[in-house]
């Protein structure tokens, strides 16, 4: 049994997020480019007789609705063993917020429990558990910059995109990912149509040049019309000279890229007038940094 340890659980944003169509299983076929960023929760793991979980944010459920507990249960089921652990989550990533906080916690829990309990579970099994826990969870087993297709669970790492001067702003609005998908009313596509659209998306991603190409998130139109406050965040960031800004996942967070540190600082100071918006200065976390931080 390992002694106790702590792991960072990073947030993500999406450089691009295309909703390709509706699938027969009710989920949506996606094409996205994920990116881990420096904003993070911290999860503390310690050996114990039983599974105990606590969190410093009272709004986070600590029973088996929490993906950290589900991750522990699934790992135990797959290894036919029962282990205990004392786990504490320091929550910093707004939840919900489109930043993948819960999914990141789930993936880090899988890595953490595997280490704490010295489990010999194959990567393939861990990947399957991750995909069953949530569409974004497999991405967080790898981190960095990566294309996500399928429900978002099929991950292909690509070259690092490096941005150091960014802001993530989260207004006080709760967007349900499920409802956001439903509001989009995208057509049910045949496999052939999906494959054609995916090929186009891939070409777009290959030439993704953040400061010159537009950042596309297909949730923006419907989310902005349902929640004008989120559109106001994006417009404000662009008025404050962000080079680019886009919705994170299905929101409510919006990220912005600045071309200089001073520009980001000036924007951050100006946003002091918006007391209900949470503000985070972030930079990208490459796959190398991610793996090092998690010891994988
Ligand atoms: O997989 P996850 O739990 O993150 O998804 C939350 C909800 O978002 C799903 O229940 C589904 O309604 C919707 N969803 C979808 N298509 C995806 C991912 C999620 O329709 N690719």
């Amino acid at each position: 049994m390992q002694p106790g340890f702590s792991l960072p659980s990073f947030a993500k944003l999406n450089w691009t997020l295309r909703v390709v169509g509706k699938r027969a299983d009710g989920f949506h076929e996606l094409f996205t480019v994920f990116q881990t960023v420096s904003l993070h929760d911290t999860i503390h793991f310690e050996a114990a007789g039983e599974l105990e979980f606590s969190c410093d944010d009272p709004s986070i459920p600590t029973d088996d609705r929490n993906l950290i507990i589900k991750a522990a249960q699934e790992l135990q089921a797959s290894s036919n063993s029962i282990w205990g652990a004392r786990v504490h989550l320091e929550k910093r990533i707004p939840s919900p917020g489109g930043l993948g906080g819960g999914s990141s916690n789930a993936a880090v829990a899988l890595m953490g429990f595997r280490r704490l309990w010295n489990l010999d579970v194959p990567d393939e099994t861990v990947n399957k558990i991750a995909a069953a826990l949530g569409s974004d969870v497999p991405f967080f087993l790898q981190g960095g910059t990566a294309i996500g297709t399928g429900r978002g669970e099929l991950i292909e790492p690509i070259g690092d995109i490096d941005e150091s001067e960014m802001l993530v702003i989260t207004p006080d609005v709760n967007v349900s990912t499920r409802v956001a998908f439903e509001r989009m009313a995208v057509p049910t596509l045949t496999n052939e149509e999906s494959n054609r659209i995916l090929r186009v998306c891939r070409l777009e991603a290959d030439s993704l040049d953040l400061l010159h190409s537009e950042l596309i998130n297909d949730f923006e139109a419907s989310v902005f019309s349902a929640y004008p406050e989120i559109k106001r965040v994006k417009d404000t960031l662009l008025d404050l000279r962000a080079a680019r800004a886009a919705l994170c996942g299905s929101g409510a967070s919006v990220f912005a890229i600045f071309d200089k540190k001073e520009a980001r600082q000036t924007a951050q100071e100006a946003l002091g007038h918006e007391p209900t918006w949470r503000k985070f200065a972030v930079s990208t976390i490459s796959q190398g940094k991610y793996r090092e931080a998690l010891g994988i």
Side-chain angles (χ1 to χ4, degrees):
M1 192 92 67
Q2 292 276 338
F5 55 88
S6 302
L7 295 175
S9 178
F10 293 102
K12 62 88 182 151
L13 50 76
N14 305 77
W15 294 127
T16 179
L17 201 176
R18 310 304 310 260
V19 180
V20 174
K22 197 161 183 184
R23 314 187 333 175
D25 63 2
F27 278 86
H28 291 78
E29 188 70 25
L30 302 184
F31 179 94
T32 186
V33 179
F34 287 114
Q35 175 67 56
T36 37
V37 294
S38 50
L39 170 64
H40 63 90
D41 298 336
T42 304
I43 311 183
H44 305 278
F45 297 86
E46 204 181 298
E50 292 187 358
L51 194 56
E52 299 166 32
F53 177 62
S54 56
C55 179
D56 62 356
D57 177 345
S59 71
I60 302 291
T62 50
D63 55 20
D64 57 14
R65 281 171 298 168
N66 195 295
L67 288 180
I68 294 179
I69 304 283
K70 283 194 183 147
Q73 290 168 340
E74 292 298 323
L75 265 185
Q76 300 198 353
S78 74
S79 59
N80 270 324
S81 49
I82 303 240
W83 300 87
R86 192 169 299 119
V87 183
H88 180 71
L89 171 62
E90 276 177 48
K91 197 77 198 151
R92 297 294 172 268
I93 305 173
S95 173
L99 297 165
S103 303
S104 172
N105 292 168
V108 172
L110 289 172
M111 297 186 257
F113 289 127
R114 189 148 79 147
R115 188 196 305 179
L116 185 73
W117 297 330
N118 226 346
L119 295 181
D120 192 17
V121 184
D123 286 347
E124 204 192 325
T125 309
V126 175
N127 270 319
K128 271 200 191 133
I129 296 176
L133 289 173
S135 305
D136 287 351
V137 181
F139 165 65
F140 287 104
L141 294 175
Q142 312 208 27
T145 312
I147 290 175
T149 52
R151 286 189 286 123
E153 89 286 18
L154 305 174
I155 300 302
E156 185 188 321
I158 56 172
D160 288 322
I161 292 177
D162 190 11
E163 286 294 336
S164 50
E165 306 301 339
M166 291 196 289
L167 286 179
V168 168
I169 305 297
T170 312
D172 191 12
V173 176
N174 280 359
V175 180
S176 148
T177 301
R178 189 180 53 76
V179 174
F181 271 112
E182 281 166 8
R183 284 182 57 92
M184 254 194 293
V186 289
T188 306
L189 296 181
T190 61
N191 282 345
E192 200 183 311
E193 285 164 327
S194 284
N195 288 337
R196 187 175 51 73
I197 298 171
L198 284 169
R199 276 197 299 276
V200 175
C201 291
R202 196 167 284 274
L203 284 173
E204 273 176 16
D206 283 344
S207 58
L208 194 67
D209 169 359
L210 293 181
L211 291 182
H212 300 101
S213 39
E214 212 189 326
L215 301 175
I216 301 172
N217 180 327
D218 284 338
F219 280 111
E220 284 193 355
S222 63
V223 168
F224 287 172
S225 83
Y227 307 98
E229 178 74 348
I230 306 178
K231 179 167 190 314
R232 196 168 75 80
V233 175
K234 179 172 172 178
D235 291 345
T236 305
L237 286 163
L238 292 172
D239 287 347
L240 290 170
R241 299 188 177 281
R244 291 281 178 262
L247 191 68
C248 300
S250 57
S253 307
V254 175
F255 73 93
I257 307 171
F258 292 85
D259 49 14
K260 289 202 186 73
K261 191 176 186 157
E262 296 72 37
R264 174 174 84 173
Q265 273 170 349
T266 309
Q268 211 172 345
E269 281 157 25
L271 290 169
H273 297 295
E274 297 287 353
T276 60
W277 295 0
R278 296 178 68 184
K279 309 152 195 99
F280 306 95
V282 306
S283 53
T284 50
I285 295 286
S286 66
Q287 195 183 47
K289 265 199 219 163
Y290 190 83
R291 298 183 70 87
E292 191 186 317
L294 284 151
I296 50 176

